Amino acid sequence: MKIVEDKDIVIVGGGICGLATALALHRKGKKSMVLERSETLRATGVGIIMQPNGWRALDHLGVASKLRQTSIAVPSGHFISVDDGKRHDLSLGKGELRCLKRMDLVEALAEPLPANTVHFGCHVMSIKLDPITSYPILKLQDGSIIKAKVVIGCDGVNSIISKFLDVDAPKLFSRCATRGFTWYERGHDFGNKFHIYGKDDVQLGQLPITNNLVYWFLTRTLTSQDSGSSKKDPTFIKETSLEALKGFPEEVMEMINNSEAKSLYLTELRYHRPWEMVRAEFRRGRVAVAGDAMHTMCPFISQGGGTSLEDAVVLARCLSNANDPQNALHLYVKERRMRVFWLSLQTYLIGLTVDSTSKLKKVLGNIILFLIFGGQNSHTDYDCGRL
Ligand SMILES: Cc1cc2nc3c(=O)[nH]c(=O)nc-3n(C[C@H](O)[C@H](O)[C@H](O)COP(=O)(O)OP(=O)(O)OC[C@H]3O[C@@H](n4cnc5c(N)ncnc54)[C@H](O)[C@@H]3O)c2cc1C
């Protein structure tokens, strides 16, 4: 058994949040160790919509200008009702919206890190506190033990660190999402617009990454067939998507038909209930959580990733400003709690509205959403502040 002692800050999970946290700490001159269970950098899902708050965080992290070169700006869009063909302007909020390739994002976050920061193939199995020092002790799948001064759990939706903190596990939502890329050799005709097509309980979003590459996502009711091994089968994903989109415009069907098999993902949607954001501790001593491990949300407002970047900036700022790490984590949770509560509440209420079969409940739901949140995009105005 290998015992590694005295690691200062250990981050469990090398996804968007874990890498951004390591980078934010690095920018503040603090060393960290990222433990990632995969063998290489990975990204679940192919595209990610980044809104103004996310771009601000990327600016603070010093990687925004590089990422801007990989994708085109999407300033406007339309909601298209498939039944009657009516178009409404989509309200996208003020500021920059672009869709990134997830792999471009994780690579941009990982690249500036010093060598030996990210340790691949390190699956954390458990965490406990040293009974004498109260320092966290991590046990890895290969039997290694790591003693750390601070542990940040960025280990996503099934977080081991959240379980240790007694945060309630995310609930399964009644819908699933399929996502993919379609490459247009001669360029696509969609311009720089975000389109959302809606019919009954099916919604399809489509937006360009470049003039040749389009990201699309589809949400529909989850069925028993969607769990198990079929959700990893590209043929199943394509066929069930085409089935759900019957009656949608021809160019949409063509886009799904021509999508790249390796880009296809089917994901069951999960969410932390908003009141969990108020109730949960999110920190015990020198252990805290960030990203989806703290606030899994259904992707209705496309904020999980952007919010994880905000977490990273705030965490690094708190850890570098406070002398005592426990106080730093306390201040971090205090600063983030209400931000993630409002985002979770908004996605939860949208979920209830989307899920309802009653037209009256949908109208009432939208009125309540408007009364609480005003414009649906006020969440994008947020600035997590400088590092
Ligand atoms: C369908 C869908 C669409 C979405 N679209 C958007 C969008 O457009 N815009 C947006 O901002 N957000 C979006 N999101 C949300 C976004 O994907 C997540 O919020 C974001 O990926 C969270 O990052 P994370 O690093 O916290 O978690 P993850 O990306 O899940 O990373 C967790 C990492 O931890 C590792 N790990 C887990 N357990 C362990 C362990 N025990 N030991 C070691 N490593 C471990 C995993 O391998 C993984 O690399 C979407 C989500 C879904 C489901």
Side-chain angles (χ1 to χ4, degrees), residues 123-143:
H123 193 156
V124 175
M125 301 303 288
S126 65
I127 176 168
K128 63 178 184 179
L129 300 184
D130 185 304
I132 298 162
T133 61
S134 304
Y135 282 10
I137 304 175
L138 297 165
K139 187 167 180 200
L140 272 56
Q141 197 171 38
D142 67 359

Side-chain angles (χ1 to χ4, degrees), residues 187-380:
H188 55 77
D189 296 331
F190 307 124
N192 57 356
K193 296 254 185 293
F194 188 171
H195 290 134
I196 297 183
Y197 296 84
K199 183 179 186 326
D200 304 326
D201 72 333
V202 181
Q203 283 213 335
L204 176 102
Q206 169 207 63
L207 69 171
I209 293 185
T210 65
N211 293 328
N212 297 88
L213 188 65
V214 171
Y215 170 59
W216 57 264
F217 55 91
L218 156 73
T219 62
R220 61 167 173 82
T221 305
L222 188 68
T223 69
S224 54
Q225 281 182 301
D226 296 323
S227 40
S229 57
S230 51
K231 70 177 177 197
K232 294 206 170 133
D233 174 4
T235 311
F236 172 83
I237 299 175
K238 196 179 272 192
E239 279 172 4
T240 47
S241 301
L242 287 168
E243 179 67 28
L245 292 169
K246 268 191 184 148
F248 276 59
E250 217 168 279
E251 68 268 22
V252 167
M253 306 300 272
E254 207 176 285
M255 177 180 72
I256 309 292
N257 243 327
N258 294 336
S259 54
E260 300 168 12
K262 66 177 187 320
S263 77
L264 297 174
Y265 279 84
L266 190 160
T267 314
E268 292 163 338
L269 300 182
R270 292 181 189 272
Y271 64 100
H272 278 119
R273 291 169 302 182
W275 48 94
E276 190 63 8
M277 299 300 106
V278 182
R279 190 199 70 88
E281 286 301 335
F282 295 134
R283 173 194 82 99
R284 189 184 306 161
R286 294 160 175 268
V287 181
V289 278
D292 275 10
M294 185 191 209
H295 46 69
T296 304
M297 297 172 219
C298 288
F300 304 125
I301 55 172
S302 306
Q303 274 293 7
T307 314
S308 303
L309 297 170
E310 293 174 8
D311 292 342
V313 171
V314 177
L315 244 174
R317 185 168 64 227
C318 291
L319 280 167
S320 61
N321 287 351
N323 289 331
D324 169 28
Q326 303 202 50
N327 190 36
L329 295 184
H330 165 75
L331 293 173
Y332 153 73
V333 171
K334 196 171 161 201
E335 186 168 339
R336 296 305 291 156
R337 191 182 290 284
M338 290 319 283
R339 167 71 173 152
V340 296
F341 164 73
W342 288 113
L343 290 167
S344 303
L345 181 65
Q346 188 166 359
T347 51
Y348 180 76
L349 292 174
I350 295 175
L352 287 182
T353 313
V354 167
D355 211 16
S356 170
T357 46
S358 145
K359 274 203 169 153
L360 181 67
K361 281 191 187 160
K362 280 187 193 288
V363 172
L364 278 176
N366 282 322
I367 292 173
I368 293 171
L369 274 164
F370 184 77
L371 290 176
I372 302 179
F373 297 102
Q376 284 216 348
N377 291 299
S378 47
H379 54 87
T380 66

Side-chain angles (χ1 to χ4, degrees), residues 12-18 35-38 42 44 47-50 102 122-125 154-158 160 177 179 215 267-269 290-293 297 299 302-308:
V12 182
I16 294 172
C17 189
L35 303 175
E36 167 55 46
R37 68 181 170 191
S38 305
R42 63 179 280 282
T44 309
I48 185 160
I49 299 170
M50 207 40 72
R102 281 187 184 244
C122 293
H123 193 156
V124 175
M125 301 303 288
C154 300
D155 46 343
V157 61
N158 295 313
I160 277 188
R179 299 171 272 175
Y215 170 59
T267 314
E268 292 163 338
L269 300 182
D292 275 10
M297 297 172 219
S302 306
Q303 274 293 7
T307 314
S308 303

